[in-house]
Amino acid sequence: MSPDTQDAQGSKGTIRVLQLYPRDMNIYGDWGNALVLKQRIGWHGYTPELLEYNVGDDFPDGVDLIVGGGGQDSGQLVIQDDLQSRAGVLTELAEDGAPMLVICGLYQLFGRFFKTRSGSVIPGIGILDVETHGTEERLIGNVKVATAEFGEVLGYENHSGQTTLGDGVRPLGTVAKGTGNNSSDGQEGARYKNIVASYLHGSLLPKNPAIADFLIRTAAERKFGAFVPGSPDDGYAVLAREHAARRPR
Amino acid sequence: MLYISVPLGKLVRRVSRLRGGGSALPGLVVEKIDPGFMQRTLATLPHGVAVVSGTNGKTTTTKMVVELLESQGLKVFTNRTGSNFTRGVAAALLGEVDWRGRLTADVAVLELDEAHAVHFVNRVPPRYSLLLNVLRDQLDRFGEIDKTAQLLQHIAAKTTGTVVLNREDPRVARIADTLTGQDVQYFGLDDSLLSTFPNDDDMRAAPGSPAPAALPHKPPADVVLRKVGPDTADFEYDGATVTTAMKLRGVYNIFNAAAALTLARSICGGGAATADHATLLTALSQVEPAFGRGESLTVDGQPLDLVLVKNPSGFRLGLKSFPAGGYATMIAINDNYADGRDMSWLWDVEFDSLREGGVDQLTGSRAYDMALRLQYDDVRIGAVQPDITPALAAFIRDAKGKPKRIFCTYTAMLAIRRELSKITTVEVVS
Ligand SMILES: [Zn+2]
């Protein structure tokens, strides 16, 4: 790192991470994703600022990175109106290339709609060209995904909504173990601009630091014009990946 | 049928015991040839059936209720958790009934797993139910927390007499709103102890953000846990507070003692009616933790605590109830089916309390997931060894002269107990 990229405290600059609806959409360890971003931003020599946005809050300015999780059906109902009211600012950020990670429930609601088993339709905000249909079947278990961008991605899925991708997005990868987006096409997750959308909990980022660093790098480049990485110690992540990859479904 | 099913079942039970088999086969046989056996037998009990359910603490609480009722002179039929609940109960009943199928007990107290709850209460409506809590547990098997709450509600709805509810868990307390015919009793916690019971709903809420909606007005509770000392607890009931010695450790175990006391008071006649409170309290003070629930063994002249952790709330309660100071710590995380395969839950636990002393040894099939988790909480890690046998040996060797504590998932605990039984006395649990 060169001296001119450091501020007085020796930081390369502040990266503001916004957690979307952590109160209502935060299940199966989704907090782990926010924690990993916070710590790795620090390990790369930047200063993390972790913000929360919940129903009814003012939407903060200067957000560099967005992370959102899954929720129960009740959580999705609680946030749906508020999310619609924030569709504008979120779409603007997404189209402008802000990095975002949306898992499970918020992946679904970033799409066009979620049609429940009973036939009612929860509108999404349509940033992602995907649609989701509730099913009787619950897709549960360890997942391995082959991706071009991030290598092998490991995680754990737990969802009954099945998502199909439209032409406007590409899949995150191809499922090597598990189910992924739906029980028919063998694909998992979605990629659009700098959004990574996935069904994988686990939490996703701790065992997939390549995705965490992609989000951080993108945020830094967008804000500072360049990303100067540090050298986080990923020894445990490598071993945790090796062991996780061998576990049964 | 009536006359041959019991002798036949008992015979199968004897044979399968001789062959070292499990307990489910005789239950299966009797269920197959006499499907009404369980209901019919349980229906003869003068005090009926009491079920204990909820995500955390069922085993210890069931044990407490049994010991409390026995202190009142009741003969209690109870179950050990098994792989198939109904079959397990049927098999246990076979062991207890005489050759003509008569059960000589006053009351049955059954630990009811959420997975088997609906099936069981539809067949055998309980006279009493005790619903402890709804916490994030085994989500990979049951889907969602709200669904667990619905299961407990179903148990309550099927209960014919008294439903005992946790006043401090909104999802449980609110079940009362859905009940019409049943008598409802609560067990509760002093406000000063509430903070030691993090609720899943506010698990990740920011400081200062609104707490989840509790009941607008706390209903009066039959028994309230007021205070927890090092080896005592204060319970309030019938308008007075009494202090009693406790062998149980950990605030959440002692809160479950309030739950057990409430149920025992209901079964023994409620209020001050017929229960003998002096003997109830004596029994309560002598309850030992159930298998693996904070039990303490002795290794090399030093205590070794086994703390079972199987979900985020249980792990957080364990860390709060058993402070790390002065202890060598090991964590054993397996992801076998009985533990739950999903490791996401480790990220819902905060490990800051282990930062000062660090963790000396990590083990289990997901030892490296645990290491990664601790790394992100800036907790120092001693050694990581997925294989439990050498890990335990190294832990005991390196922590010589220090009290030790092992936080472990269910199957890791079984493995650790097996190893420990080679060097110290461990209660044998079949
Ligand atoms: Zn999910």
Side-chain angles (χ1 to χ4, degrees):
Chain A
M1 60 190 157
S2 61
D4 57 1
T5 61
Q6 295 189 359
D7 64 18
Q9 286 80 44
S11 164
K12 300 169 188 170
T14 297
I15 295 178
R16 306 187 93 192
V17 178
L18 180 69
Q19 287 180 270
L20 269 189
Y21 305 110
R23 207 157 64 209
D24 298 299
M25 300 293 281
N26 181 2
I27 198 169
Y28 311 120
D30 287 333
W31 157 248
N33 294 325
L35 176 63
V36 165
L37 289 171
K38 176 178 171 238
Q39 288 280 48
R40 292 186 82 83
I41 287 170
W43 296 342
H44 283 298
Y46 296 82
T47 303
E49 195 182 328
L50 200 54
L51 309 170
E52 291 195 358
Y53 176 79
N54 286 301
V55 171
D57 289 352
D58 291 331
F59 200 90
D61 291 328
V63 170
D64 302 312
L65 202 168
I66 286 179
V67 57
Q72 305 205 18
D73 296 351
S74 58
Q76 298 209 356
L77 293 176
V78 169
I79 68 155
Q80 72 167 325
D81 290 345
D82 191 87
L83 180 64
Q84 288 301 329
S85 77
R86 298 302 178 192
V89 59
L90 291 169
T91 306
E92 207 172 290
L93 280 164
E95 292 297 328
D96 194 50
M100 302 185 182
L101 174 71
V102 282
I103 302 292
C104 199
L106 275 169
Y107 168 24
Q108 295 167 346
L109 292 182
F110 264 51
R112 290 192 278 111
F113 63 83
F114 182 112
K115 190 170 182 187
T116 66
R117 270 174 306 188
S118 57
S120 59
V121 173
I122 301 176
I125 53 176
I127 292 175
L128 299 173
D129 179 18
V130 307
E131 57 181 66
T132 304
H133 296 262
T135 66
E136 291 290 339
E137 187 188 5
R138 201 158 185 93
L139 307 172
I140 298 179
N142 286 311
V143 181
K144 254 197 285 196
V145 184
T147 79
E149 274 176 293
F150 308 114
E152 184 172 76
V153 171
L154 299 167
Y156 191 94
E157 65 184 326
N158 186 343
H159 56 109
S160 54
Q162 300 210 6
T163 299
T164 42
L165 310 188
D167 294 337
V169 296
R170 54 186 202 281
L172 172 63
T174 310
V175 172
K177 173 163 75 184
T179 311
N181 285 336
N182 56 64
S183 44
S184 50
D185 66 18
Q187 295 178 337
E188 156 54 26
R191 286 281 289 112
Y192 173 69
K193 300 253 175 179
N194 291 319
I195 301 175
V196 176
S198 172
Y199 270 113
L200 302 193
H201 303 279
S203 308
L204 180 69
L205 294 186
K207 278 201 293 292
N208 299 286
I211 300 178
D213 287 352
F214 160 78
L215 297 166
I216 295 167
R217 185 183 73 229
T218 308
E221 286 172 351
R222 229 177 128 248
K223 188 164 193 175
F224 309 113
F227 173 59
V228 185
S231 44
D233 179 355
D234 286 328
Y236 287 135
V238 169
L239 287 161
R241 287 171 59 82
E242 276 174 18
H243 283 258
R246 292 201 298 262
R247 300 305 295 161
R249 163 78 167 151
Chain B
M1 271 306 166
L2 210 71
Y3 296 104
I4 65 156
S5 61
V6 168
L8 185 61
K10 281 179 100 68
L11 197 64
V12 173
R13 184 170 180 273
R14 225 179 238 188
V15 172
S16 81
R17 284 241 157 152
L18 285 173
R19 298 177 54 207
S23 61
L25 178 64
L28 174 65
V29 169
V30 76
E31 286 280 283
K32 273 272 182 294
I33 62 170
D34 182 7
F37 167 71
M38 185 179 64
Q39 293 100 297
R40 202 175 60 238
T41 310
L42 290 174
T44 62
L45 299 170
H47 285 271
V49 174
V51 298
V52 178
S53 199
T55 35
N56 267 344
K58 288 186 288 286
T59 306
T60 298
T61 309
T62 301
K63 187 172 183 288
M64 284 191 269
V65 173
V66 169
E67 290 175 30
L68 290 175
L69 293 177
E70 285 173 347
S71 81
Q72 303 300 298
L74 295 180
K75 190 164 181 332
V76 185
F77 170 78
T78 187
N79 64 324
R80 288 257 166 134
T81 11
S83 52
N84 185 307
F85 179 83
T86 306
R87 239 165 254 170
V89 169
L93 282 172
L94 272 177
E96 295 288 322
V97 294
D98 62 22
W99 285 89
R100 302 181 56 189
R102 284 179 308 221
L103 182 63
T104 49
D106 300 302
V107 61
V109 180
L110 304 176
E111 172 184 347
L112 196 49
D113 191 299
E114 297 97 304
H116 304 107
V118 171
H119 185 61
F120 180 78
V121 298
N122 286 348
R123 292 176 67 182
V124 183
R127 194 174 305 172
Y128 303 92
S129 57
L130 167 55
L131 306 178
L132 294 170
N133 43 50
V134 182
L135 300 161
R136 294 183 185 203
D137 181 24
Q138 300 171 321
L139 288 167
D140 47 338
R141 260 177 282 172
F142 303 123
E144 301 186 345
I145 301 170
D146 294 342
K147 210 161 135 195
T148 308
Q150 283 168 17
L151 287 177
L152 295 192
Q153 191 190 318
H154 186 80
I155 297 174
K158 288 285 176 183
T159 304
T160 58
T162 302
V163 178
V164 178
L165 300 174
N166 179 349
R167 185 182 70 178
E168 317 303 341
D169 184 327
R171 286 193 181 85
V172 173
R174 284 190 195 124
I175 289 174
D177 304 339
T178 67
L179 300 176
T180 45
Q182 294 84 347
D183 171 39
V184 174
Q185 297 288 341
Y186 295 94
F187 60 100
L189 200 60
D190 194 88
D191 283 349
S192 65
L193 293 171
L194 280 174
S195 64
T196 60
F197 282 78
N199 184 303
D200 275 342
D201 289 322
D202 59 17
M203 196 145 61
R204 286 306 329 155
S209 65
L215 293 185
H217 305 286
K218 273 194 184 183
D222 184 59
V223 177
V224 177
L225 175 62
R226 286 290 175 208
K227 217 170 91 188
V228 174
D231 46 17
T232 61
D234 289 6
F235 296 99
E236 182 189 306
Y237 54 84
D238 299 335
T241 300
V242 292
T243 302
T244 175
M246 293 300 289
K247 281 188 180 167
L248 286 175
R249 308 172 61 189
V251 183
Y252 67 102
N253 279 326
I254 297 175
F255 185 42
N256 287 335
L261 202 51
T262 306
L263 177 58
R265 280 160 56 84
S266 294
I267 294 173
C268 294
T274 53
D276 174 353
H277 285 97
T279 54
L280 269 183
L281 283 183
T282 307
L284 199 63
S285 70
Q286 282 163 4
V287 173
E288 307 256 9
F291 171 57
R293 275 69 172 179
E295 69 185 323
S296 196
L297 309 166
T298 302
V299 173
D300 284 347
Q302 292 286 339
L304 183 150
D305 296 345
L306 285 179
V307 183
L308 180 69
V309 292
K310 51 175 191 165
N311 53 40
S313 48
F315 211 149
R316 286 179 297 138
L317 288 170
L319 290 169
K320 275 201 168 176
S321 285
F322 299 92
Y327 276 74
T329 303
M330 172 163 134
I331 301 178
I333 304 293
N334 273 354
D335 68 345
N336 295 317
Y337 179 76
D339 304 299
R341 295 242 184 255
D342 186 8
M343 284 298 110
S344 304
W345 66 283
L346 295 179
W347 295 88
D348 284 328
V349 183
E350 275 154 358
F351 293 92
D352 317 23
S353 64
L354 297 177
R355 211 170 273 154
E356 202 182 313
V359 174
D360 302 281
Q361 182 78 48
L362 297 175
T363 189
S365 56
R366 291 291 194 145
Y368 285 106
D369 271 72
M370 190 65 226
L372 191 57
R373 176 68 194 90
L374 293 177
Q375 181 191 2
Y376 276 98
D377 265 359
D378 300 316
V379 176
R380 180 190 60 79
I381 297 160
V384 189
Q385 163 58 267
D387 192 344
I388 286 175
T389 303
L392 182 64
F395 176 60
I396 290 172
R397 185 186 63 232
D398 296 344
K400 213 172 178 66
K402 277 180 93 175
K404 299 165 194 67
R405 183 169 295 133
I406 304 177
F407 296 96
C408 42
T409 63
Y410 183 71
T411 68
M413 187 189 63
L414 296 180
I416 288 167
R417 290 178 60 99
R418 244 183 339 261
E419 286 303 310
L420 287 174
S421 68
K422 296 173 188 168
I423 54 170
T424 188
T425 312
V426 179
E427 182 205 356
V428 180
V429 176
S430 54

